[in-house]
Amino acid sequence: MDDNRHQGQELAPQLVTELSHALRTPLTSILVYAWLLADNPRKNLSAEEVGFATGIHHAGSALLHQIDHILDREARRRHRRPRLRPGTAPA
């Protein structure tokens, strides 16, 4: 059982990193497109459409902030905890 827990503790940061990349990459694209639409350089969107694009950008930015917060917390947790290998104990 301890081996499973140790394995889970080692896999958790990897999973967080992979999920972060899987979420951040498309989210960044969405944020760029939403920003471009909200900027409306051609002035061809209605005020309602610009409002939708602005809302998408704000919501996406908040989500990106949450992802960053989770990653920062995981990084701090990982650096705080001593790395133990199965069958070893701190002296």
Side-chain angles (χ1 to χ4, degrees):
M1 182 171 200
D2 287 335
D3 288 340
N4 288 342
R5 185 173 19 170
H6 177 73
Q7 185 180 10
Q9 289 173 346
E10 291 299 317
L11 291 176
Q14 181 182 351
L15 177 64
V16 169
T17 301
E18 288 176 13
L19 280 175
S20 163
H21 180 72
L23 292 172
R24 281 174 143 182
T25 302
L27 180 56
T28 301
S29 295
I30 291 168
L31 288 173
V32 170
Y33 290 130
W35 179 79
L36 289 171
L37 287 170
D39 191 41
N40 195 18
R42 294 183 187 163
K43 306 297 183 216
N44 60 345
L45 299 177
S46 70
E48 183 180 37
E49 291 168 328
V50 169
F52 290 150
T54 302
I56 291 167
H57 189 270
H58 286 305
S61 295
L63 179 57
L64 186 59
H65 177 74
Q66 289 298 318
I67 292 169
D68 289 342
H69 178 72
I70 290 167
L71 289 175
D72 290 344
R73 189 175 63 200
E74 178 60 31
R76 284 192 306 270
R77 188 183 70 76
R78 207 175 347 171
H79 285 49
R80 252 192 338 241
R81 147 175 81 103
R83 295 237 176 222
L84 299 178
R85 296 181 186 202
T88 64

